[in-house]
Amino acid sequence: MTDAWLAGQRTAFAACRDTLPGSGTPWVDALRAEAFRQFEEDGPPTARIEEWRSGPTAALTGQVFAPAAPDGARAAAVPAPYLEGPRHRLVFVDGRFSRGHSDAGEPPKGVRLTTLGALLAENPQAARDLIGDPDAFAEERLSRVTDRRPQALVALNTALASDGAVLLIEDGVALAHPLEVVHVTRETEEPRAHHLRTLIALGAGARAHVVEIHAGGSAGVWTNHVTDIAVGAGARLEHVRADAGSATAVHVNVAHARLRAGAAYAGFVLAATSGAVRAETRLALEEPGADGEVNGVCLAKGTGHIDALTRLDHHAREGTSRQLWRGIFADTARGAFQGRIRVLPDASGTNAALDNRNLLLNAGARAESKPELEILTDDVACSHASATGELDADALFYLRSRGLSERLARALLMEAFTGAVADRIAHEGVRDFIRRLVDERLHALGSATS
Amino acid sequence: MSEPLLTIRNLRASVDDKEVLKGIDLSVAAGEVAAIMGPNGSGKSTLSNVLAGRDGYEVTDGEVRYDGQDLLAMEPEERAATGVFMAFQYPVEIPGVVNATFTRTALNAQRKARDESAIDAIDFLKRARATLARLEMDEDFLRRDVNAGFSGGEKKRNEIFQMAMLEPRLAILDETDSGLDIDALRIVATGVNAMRNPERALVVITHYQRLLEYVVPDSVHVLADGRIARSGDRELALELERAGYAAFQPA
């Protein structure tokens, strides 16, 4: 299957490379070609690659998902805005900007809110500085021989990215209202891939809240979304990625963030699916005093599969990081959490914590948790905790003995289990939205079982 | 007198195939406070768990009638909705669920089951504050997670608070006095006494007599080796306090 899959990607790249944003700009063409070459060299992810050991590799390579030419003729069901109150909104349908559905509003001076397509058309040089080469975000490797870790899907995304949101904020500027980026994927008969690329760059002292939402999808869809983030010195970004209940066959979502001195990245991931999700978050705390937070809620039912991976690399001293992950798995769904904290030799004074707990609602559900600490210096405080279990029978009985139905008691305990994660979101409107969405997805999970 | 509110007839129950309750007969009328006393291992906690409907207890014979209904056929939440309340010996900690939310959800779930209208948040808060004041509990209780990080005494008071809010017709207090200092015991007893009325029955399960100094029972029953070995009035409790359970222990 792998050969046919690779051949399918080759055919797709050859067919659409001339229609992609930036086509005709020499450096873009060269970048895409080089990225595709890198992808071919790495090959599709397999379980033989340590980071993909628990990944949805079979779902990914089981069908030849290939990008298709834009098909604007078909109507898309675009959901109403998710965030209440003032917001900036960009909508992409099947990986391409939909002006009619978007409402960028009026961002303050010093904020550039645009799309990858527009940026490459208007100012390719600025884009070049932001995107860089496909391997730029690859981690420092202990040894290329023993720790080779291809990022084939990031490379493929670079080669095939059809569009995405771009948010550039100058030094000292705050985007007061959150940015809502919605990716709607339509149902499809033929297997289709959508490669989306978001770019976010905050100058020194800048502030922003960004919410990226995926909606729609069907069993024939693979979405491959990469978000490149740079957070300047003392800047703060809150970055929420949420799945509004899609039926997408495979959703790969990768966020890379580089943090300068005193920068803060606060990330939240909601994965809710009966398909397959791979959610990666890679933070590089490159300079002293950076703060990274990566939290997530994973909810899977049916034969769903969620593979969450975090890589937090503390490169410099006095960095802090926290990770709080909760997973609930129903039916025969499976979940995996691989969380790594790496403290490099120059990162003394690091304080890092990781906490992952999973609930299994049915005997057929499975979850594995793999926290990894790699500490290459002294004078650090790192902690990790993980546990997997069922809903607490004593707590269930206690609630029922007070008059709550079993269903209500289970729902209350599941809300309690995930609530602490959503509560970490700083922006009130975003937090309220995510709480509603999590409750909605928990309800769907509850009705899948018992 | 009309039919008792609670009637237990020849109740036999096993845990892990071992018979613990060996034919209990007991009836409690509305308006009555009945004390069930007994040494460790006599079956007190098994009896309370069977009445509450906890899994893991197999009833092998006998019946329990509550207000004309077969109590043992009901789910735990049905028992609650029909007016049965259990104050647990070891209340469970539920981090992430706020006490106010939990108590109001429970109250409204019961009201819904009885086809009564829901209590809104404002009325609930009024009632909750008045109840807390009576129990000498801080309003902070409402905002804390259910029993999470509570001291032993706080947990017991929280049970009494829930009982007061839910207004059951039959309340079973399982070792509510255990682990309480004298001040907490007095507060708990005040809360229990405030619940006494002609429509309500209270069953106080306890090892020691001291709670009964504050909550004076109408009847006292000694549970020993899975049976009610003796019944009497308040004097029986005082006698047990003096002589201990030696007379009821298996030889």
Side-chain angles (χ1 to χ4, degrees), chain A residues 96-286:
Chain A
R96 284 174 171 85
F97 183 55
S98 173
R99 190 173 303 277
H101 293 108
S102 299
D103 177 13
E106 289 180 16
K109 191 173 177 296
V111 174
R112 178 117 197 252
L113 180 54
T114 181
T115 64
L116 188 63
L119 186 70
L120 287 172
E122 294 158 15
N123 192 349
Q125 191 53 46
R128 179 176 199 173
D129 296 340
L130 280 166
I131 298 171
D133 65 84
D135 216 28
F137 286 108
E139 294 159 83
E140 279 187 24
R141 291 165 183 159
L142 287 177
S143 154
R144 282 187 173 271
V145 179
T146 59
D147 191 22
R148 181 162 170 71
R149 186 193 42 71
Q151 293 247 29
L153 298 184
V154 174
L156 186 64
N157 181 284
T158 305
L160 289 166
S162 60
D163 211 346
V166 175
L167 174 66
L168 312 175
I169 306 186
E170 291 175 9
D171 290 356
V173 175
L175 185 66
H177 306 311
L179 166 62
E180 172 179 315
V181 181
V182 183
H183 290 281
V184 182
T185 309
R186 293 180 293 188
E187 284 189 27
T188 170
E189 298 289 318
E190 294 292 309
R192 275 198 179 190
H194 300 291
H195 299 274
L196 319 157
R197 190 68 162 239
T198 303
L199 301 179
I200 301 170
L202 271 58
R207 297 273 185 282
H209 304 271
V210 177
V211 184
E212 301 191 87
I213 302 162
H214 280 267
S218 66
V221 171
W222 169 32
T223 42
N224 181 24
H225 188 169
V226 175
T227 301
D228 282 337
I229 298 165
V231 190
R236 180 181 169 82
L237 174 69
E238 180 158 68
H239 180 219
V240 170
R241 291 174 280 162
D243 189 330
S246 76
T248 302
V250 191
H251 176 54
V252 177
N253 197 309
V254 179
H256 294 102
R258 312 172 66 154
L259 280 62
R260 304 288 293 271
Y265 171 90
F268 173 89
V269 174
L270 170 63
T273 190
S274 52
V277 172
R278 160 83 166 191
E280 295 184 9
T281 311
R282 298 172 188 272
L283 300 192
L285 287 70
E286 294 181 334

Side-chain angles (χ1 to χ4, degrees), chain B residues 172-202:
Chain B
I172 301 159
L173 288 78
D174 186 9
E175 307 271 2
T176 297
D177 52 340
S178 68
L180 294 186
D181 63 30
I182 193 70
D183 290 328
L185 185 70
R186 183 185 52 76
I187 292 166
V188 163
T190 306
V192 174
N193 282 327
M195 299 292 292
R196 296 180 83 150
N197 77 30
E199 271 79 54
R200 181 175 291 137
L202 300 174

